[in-house]
Amino acid sequence: MTNTDHTPLAEPVSPREIPDAAIAMLDAEGTLVGWTHAAEQLVGYSAGEVVGRSAAHVLSPAEDAPGASAFAEQCRAQGGWSGTVRVRHREGHTLQVGLRVSLLWGQDGSIRWLVSVTDIGALSSGATNGPVRESLLAHAPIGIVVRDLQLRCTWMNDAMERHDGIPRDRRFGRRLKDSLPGFEAEALEVVMRQVLESGATMVHEYRAWPPADQRREHVLSASFFCLQDAGGKPLGICSMTVDVTGNRRARERLAILSEASTRIGSTLDVMQTGQELTDLVVPLLADHAIVDLVESVPFGVEPSAQIGTTSGRTPLLRRAGLSTIDPGVPELPWVREEVIHVHPASSFATALRTGRSHLESVLDTQAGPWVDHDPVRAQKVRDSGVHSLMVVPIRARRCVLGLALFGRSEEPTPFQEDDLLLAEELVTRAALSLDNALQYARQRTAALTLQRDLLPHHVGGGAALDVASRYVPADLDHGVGGDWFDVIKLSGARVALVVGDVVGHGINAAATMGRLRTAVRTLADMELPPHEVLTHLDDTVRRLSEEDADAPDQYPAAVGATCLYGVYDPVTRRCTMARAGHPPPAIISPQGHIAFPDMPTGAPLGLGLGLVPFESVELELPEGTLLALYTDGLVESRDDDIDVGLDRLGAALAQTGSSLEDLCSQVIETLPTQAPDDDVTLLLARTRGLEPAQVASWELPNNPAAVRSARQAAARQLSEWGLQHLVTTVELIVSELVTNAVRHGRGPIRLRLIKHQVLTCEVSDDNTSHPRPRHPHLIDENGRGLFLVARLSRRWGSRSATDGKVVWAEQDLPSEAVAV
């Protein structure tokens, strides 16, 4: 914006009425020639009582009236005076006031004095406000003009010319619209006429571009006072003008910062935060703004390079935010989410490397290394009209997360140092939000990684069960909780089902859950009955509680859990279950009838109630029976009783014909809210039974001859199954296991072969002692049987039975022979 006639351009802002100031006008000899209504209110004298008299009788210090002459000489010598004095009120008491005496010049070189009096007591109590009054106390330059009733300039001081650049010869004898043509002059004269008519003091703020500083906007505040003659009639009007650019800009900056506190960082999305910053500053601070983040930041990864490091390449940036006053301009080189390549010689790369801001008040798009190496982008910047630029690094914990760029094209005023300070403050606030988002992303990634590692990646029930599951944590922010489930394949085609619930939510509960899940898997591998598994698990939980309580550097965490553990055998189609303070399973028959079996509740784990034993219950489940294991978060809520939740669960599970995955989704959709109060876990399992042709068993006498019979029976069965290639191996395994049973047992021996996803060979006897492999010496004749079984099997082991034990070994089957 330019001004060809060298007159200030001004934009009216807002007229407003403020408390009157006490103004008096004196001639060269100190005689009062003008008075204001505010002066009458301050010192008690009316215009008729003081106009035409010496100011020494009214405004001189009450305790030193004889010194008035010396004071007047001091004012003449210094061209004015300002300070704090005590003056006499008409009623006799004294006032502490701020006094300012200003020298005014007339057209013929004559002088007059303008006296401004401010009640300090009123100011200190907050009774008055406004830029003129603040300036009186701060001794700021005040431009003064006195006009007659026709609004023609008759008197002025030197400061007024410095404010707006209008010389005296263009002002004296002229109205404002003659020396300052334009709408702003008309608006100011309207205010002056209102003051003359009402006698009230008014202030008018307006923006202007003085000739001495046309590229920078100035905000001027003009206060207008009505001067009265001896008869109390309007004599003229006095205007006192103060440059409040600093105050106005400070208020604007405070408003922007206040706005930033509510508009930046509304989410934990780093890309959204970048856009919020650019949306805020355009057009309040800049015409165009962009935010580029180091490419790893949107993916929740903090930049590896720290401020001041010189090694490595300049990182790639990704555009996170973009705002412009003219988004339709096609030549702007700004596309959101675009990958940005930063030239190493540019000011952008320097800001990334050093972490220091860069200000180019006047942008030179014709020279510089980055222009030479990136002429296409430089040309686009020229076409956009950007003439002033700020580059502010986004810093957090000694790392630069990206850059914020601010440009001006339509706004003619270039960026100044105070603009850079404001931009840095805004970017700092955005950096805090970005860093919080990064910390959140890092913690959430760690928590989800922990959860993925702790919960099974894939649940499968082998030949015994079809399974599906759902997990909905109450801690939706981090996605982790204390619920867990598991499906563990056991020997003999059996499968263990587990659902548990650790007290609490979040990552601590998830860590405890992981320890318990590991313990359950270890106990399951020992092939213990369900009630014994829970007994050992209860002991584990109590030990964890004691360890946490003994830790001196942390507050002891409450450790407690509930658990339901069951083992399903597809050969017998029976399921053995026990629970520790956990809700009972839901059992849905193939016909759709639902039941919650009556089974001993058991105490929750870790409460120290080990004297109350856990009990196992055995249930017969026809093929196609649906088992639903769940945590209490699925059926309990703050608003509904548990019976309501169980009825809701039963209604959802009664949808016969639905797949397990669909059933899981239907059950979760019945939750009263998508943000449950407690973690929710659901494990569905539909039973399958093995065909009689997949199982072969023989009763053998307890004598050495049984070994040969067992080998022959096993060979015949393998031939019937088309597994002749396994005959030799299985014969050796059967021989060793039956031999051990004959040697260590007394009762009958049972041999069983199960063909499912693997081939399982089981030998049962009445000895409760479990076999342990030995490491025989070279000269030992015995002790190599189990070592041989281990070498020939994919895995082997033993488990307790009601009347002894079972020793088993497995063989892999070819894919075409696997029974699913």
Side-chain angles (χ1 to χ4, degrees):
M1 186 177 294
T2 58
N3 184 9
T4 55
D5 63 355
H6 301 288
T7 58
L9 299 176
E11 176 186 347
V13 179
S14 60
R16 56 188 174 91
E17 189 169 339
I18 62 170
D20 290 340
I23 301 294
M25 191 172 180
L26 289 68
D27 62 14
E29 287 73 31
T31 301
L32 285 164
V33 296
W35 195 247
T36 64
H37 179 68
E40 179 182 350
Q41 289 184 325
L42 179 64
V43 297
Y45 294 98
S46 66
E49 292 176 294
V50 295
V51 174
R53 301 181 62 185
S54 172
H57 297 288
V58 180
L59 299 177
S60 61
E63 66 276 9
D64 188 22
S69 299
F71 176 73
E73 291 299 328
Q74 180 182 358
C75 289
R76 291 190 182 93
Q78 297 178 355
W81 185 88
S82 63
T84 302
V85 299
R86 298 173 66 86
V87 299
R88 180 177 58 238
H89 192 274
R90 186 176 185 276
E91 297 179 355
H93 63 272
T94 58
L95 301 172
Q96 186 78 11
V97 298
L99 187 69
R100 182 161 187 155
V101 182
S102 302
L103 175 64
L104 304 182
W105 296 98
Q107 185 173 6
D108 56 357
S110 59
I111 66 170
R112 285 198 175 178
W113 303 93
L114 192 82
V115 180
S116 306
V117 185
T118 305
D119 188 348
I120 293 179
L123 281 175
S124 61
S125 63
T128 28
N129 196 358
V132 171
R133 247 62 71 223
E134 296 169 2
S135 300
L136 285 173
L137 293 180
H139 299 175
I142 299 178
I144 302 175
V145 176
V146 176
R147 300 179 182 276
D148 59 19
L149 295 178
Q150 287 74 41
L151 303 184
R152 294 172 299 193
C153 177
T154 55
W155 305 91
M156 65 172 290
N157 69 344
D158 296 332
M160 193 64 221
E161 184 173 345
R162 292 193 295 270
H163 274 321
D164 56 20
I166 302 176
R168 295 182 191 178
D169 57 358
R170 288 186 54 189
R171 195 188 303 266
F172 283 128
R174 298 184 181 182
R175 292 172 56 180
L176 183 62
K177 67 176 184 178
D178 298 326
S179 56
L180 182 63
F183 171 76
E184 64 279 0
E186 296 288 346
L188 290 171
E189 288 195 351
V190 168
V191 176
M192 292 185 211
R193 292 191 185 95
Q194 292 176 352
V195 173
L196 287 175
E197 293 175 1
S198 65
T201 300
M202 299 189 73
V203 64
H204 188 88
E205 286 188 4
Y206 60 98
R207 287 187 284 268
W209 288 262
D213 191 12
Q214 287 192 8
R215 300 202 64 182
R216 184 179 182 185
E217 174 191 271
H218 286 247
V219 179
L220 303 178
S221 177
S223 297
F224 299 96
F225 311 89
C226 180
L227 294 174
Q228 299 174 343
D229 60 14
K233 297 181 179 180
L235 174 68
I237 190 165
C238 172
S239 67
M240 303 177 66
T241 303
V242 179
D243 190 332
V244 294
T245 303
N247 293 344
R248 181 62 177 267
R249 292 174 70 85
R251 291 196 298 269
E252 291 175 347
R253 277 154 173 71
L254 287 175
I256 295 175
L257 292 175
S258 176
E259 191 80 3
S261 63
T262 59
R263 291 178 54 182
I264 297 179
S266 62
T267 69
L268 290 172
D269 184 338
V270 295
M271 300 293 281
Q272 180 64 27
T273 299
Q275 186 62 43
E276 289 171 348
L277 174 59
T278 61
D279 288 343
L280 172 68
V281 300
V282 175
L284 295 179
L285 178 62
D287 296 329
H288 317 282
I290 58 178
V291 169
D292 293 339
L293 299 177
V294 175
E295 193 178 26
S296 62
V297 171
F299 301 100
V301 180
E302 187 177 273
S304 57
Q306 292 190 337
I307 296 174
T309 57
T310 57
S311 60
R313 297 178 299 176
T314 302
L316 294 177
L317 302 178
R318 185 175 294 273
R319 191 134 294 169
L322 162 65
S323 294
T324 173
I325 59 173
D326 190 3
V329 177
E331 60 267 17
L332 289 178
W334 302 334
V335 178
R336 195 159 184 255
E337 299 189 1
E338 171 191 2
V339 175
I340 309 299
H341 298 266
V342 180
H343 191 274
S346 67
S347 57
F348 314 129
T350 302
L352 283 172
R353 184 174 61 256
T354 63
R356 291 193 294 269
S357 301
H358 176 74
L359 169 64
E360 286 194 49
S361 293
V362 180
L363 180 62
D364 186 1
T365 59
Q366 306 297 327
W370 75 276
V371 175
D372 297 335
H373 290 91
D374 197 356
V376 175
R377 192 174 296 275
Q379 184 60 46
K380 289 183 178 181
V381 173
R382 295 188 197 103
D383 296 339
S384 70
V386 174
H387 61 80
S388 189
L389 180 70
M390 293 188 295
V391 181
V392 181
I394 304 172
R395 302 171 49 175
R397 294 181 293 108
R398 288 196 53 78
C399 287
V400 175
L401 306 180
L403 296 176
L405 282 69
F406 308 91
R408 281 181 176 173
S409 57
E410 297 297 323
E411 168 62 51
T413 306
F415 288 123
Q416 306 293 328
E417 288 294 336
D418 54 348
D419 295 312
L420 182 60
L421 291 175
L422 175 60
E424 289 177 335
E425 176 64 25
L426 293 173
V427 170
T428 297
R429 298 191 179 201
L432 291 174
S433 298
L434 289 170
D435 189 51
N436 288 338
L438 268 180
Q439 298 301 318
Y440 164 79
R442 183 183 298 109
Q443 292 180 9
R444 187 172 189 274
T445 299
L448 291 177
T449 300
L450 173 64
Q451 190 76 35
R452 284 193 298 267
D453 289 344
L454 294 179
L455 291 177
H457 296 176
H458 172 73
V459 290
L465 298 168
D466 292 324
V467 295
S469 62
R470 289 292 186 275
Y471 171 71
V472 181
D475 186 1
L476 294 177
D477 289 337
H478 293 95
V480 295
D483 285 11
W484 90 93
F485 64 92
D486 214 341
V487 180
I488 308 169
K489 295 180 182 179
L490 304 176
S491 63
R494 298 171 308 129
V495 175
L497 298 173
V498 190
V499 169
D501 184 359
V502 174
V503 172
H505 312 293
I507 196 168
N508 292 331
T512 302
M513 172 269 287
R515 299 160 83 177
L516 297 185
R517 177 172 178 261
T518 301
V520 170
R521 278 192 160 261
T522 301
L523 295 170
D525 287 342
M526 297 171 62
E527 308 248 24
L528 298 174
H531 63 277
E532 291 190 26
V533 169
L534 294 182
T535 300
H536 287 287
L537 193 60
D538 177 62
D539 186 58
T540 299
V541 174
R542 283 189 284 113
R543 287 203 307 270
L544 292 177
S545 300
E546 293 170 357
E547 291 173 3
D548 290 339
D550 292 340
D553 58 342
Q554 66 181 20
Y555 187 81
V559 178
T562 64
C563 183
L564 174 64
Y565 182 87
V567 176
Y568 174 68
D569 188 342
V571 177
T572 64
R573 293 178 173 82
R574 301 186 73 82
C575 182
T576 306
M577 290 183 289
R579 59 182 179 138
H582 203 83
I587 300 178
I588 300 90
S589 69
Q591 294 75 32
H593 300 131
I594 187 167
F596 295 92
D598 184 14
M599 53 185 297
T601 303
L605 303 172
L607 298 185
L609 302 178
L611 295 178
V612 181
F614 299 103
E615 297 182 46
S616 294
V617 173
E618 190 173 69
L619 304 172
E620 185 171 352
L621 304 178
E623 185 172 0
T625 299
L626 180 63
L627 272 172
L629 282 65
Y630 52 91
T631 54
D632 55 7
L634 184 66
V635 295
E636 292 183 356
S637 68
R638 295 176 181 176
D639 301 325
D640 296 327
D641 188 74
I642 188 172
D643 292 337
V644 176
L646 292 176
D647 292 341
R648 184 178 64 245
L649 174 63
L653 292 176
Q655 305 296 322
T656 58
S658 300
S659 68
L660 294 186
E661 289 293 336
D662 290 341
L663 274 178
C664 282
S665 299
Q666 292 170 14
V667 171
I668 297 302
E669 288 172 358
T670 63
L671 289 173
T673 174
Q674 295 303 310
D677 300 326
D678 197 2
D679 303 325
V680 172
T681 297
L682 174 65
L683 178 62
L684 298 182
R686 182 169 283 133
T687 62
R688 294 191 291 186
L690 296 183
E691 297 295 331
Q694 294 177 253
V695 182
S697 60
W698 301 269
E699 293 286 340
L700 304 173
N702 193 338
N703 58 61
V707 177
R708 180 179 179 183
S709 300
R711 284 200 305 265
Q712 293 173 346
R716 287 193 302 270
Q717 187 61 53
L718 291 178
S719 297
E720 291 181 13
W721 284 338
L723 302 176
Q724 292 86 348
H725 65 289
L726 293 178
V727 169
T728 302
T729 302
V730 173
E731 281 185 332
L732 288 173
I733 293 174
V734 168
S735 179
E736 292 298 332
L737 295 184
V738 174
T739 298
N740 284 342
V742 171
R743 180 176 300 169
H744 301 290
R746 296 184 179 180
I749 299 168
R750 187 182 183 191
L751 170 64
R752 185 167 73 168
L753 297 180
I754 305 172
K755 174 178 170 288
H756 50 111
Q757 292 182 326
V758 295
L759 176 68
T760 303
C761 173
E762 297 180 347
V763 175
S764 307
D765 61 57
D766 60 356
N767 192 316
T768 58
S769 298
H770 290 260
R772 289 184 174 84
R774 295 192 304 170
H775 298 281
H777 298 288
L778 293 176
I779 60 174
D780 289 344
E781 296 181 0
N782 299 313
R784 294 179 174 85
L786 292 178
F787 179 77
L788 181 62
V789 169
R791 293 298 298 268
L792 295 175
S793 306
R794 67 186 298 269
R795 66 178 190 140
W796 77 279
S798 64
R799 66 176 183 268
S800 298
T802 55
D803 54 355
K805 68 175 182 298
V806 177
V807 184
W808 53 269
E810 293 179 349
Q811 293 290 309
D812 288 318
L813 294 176
S815 57
E816 63 272 9
V818 174
V820 180

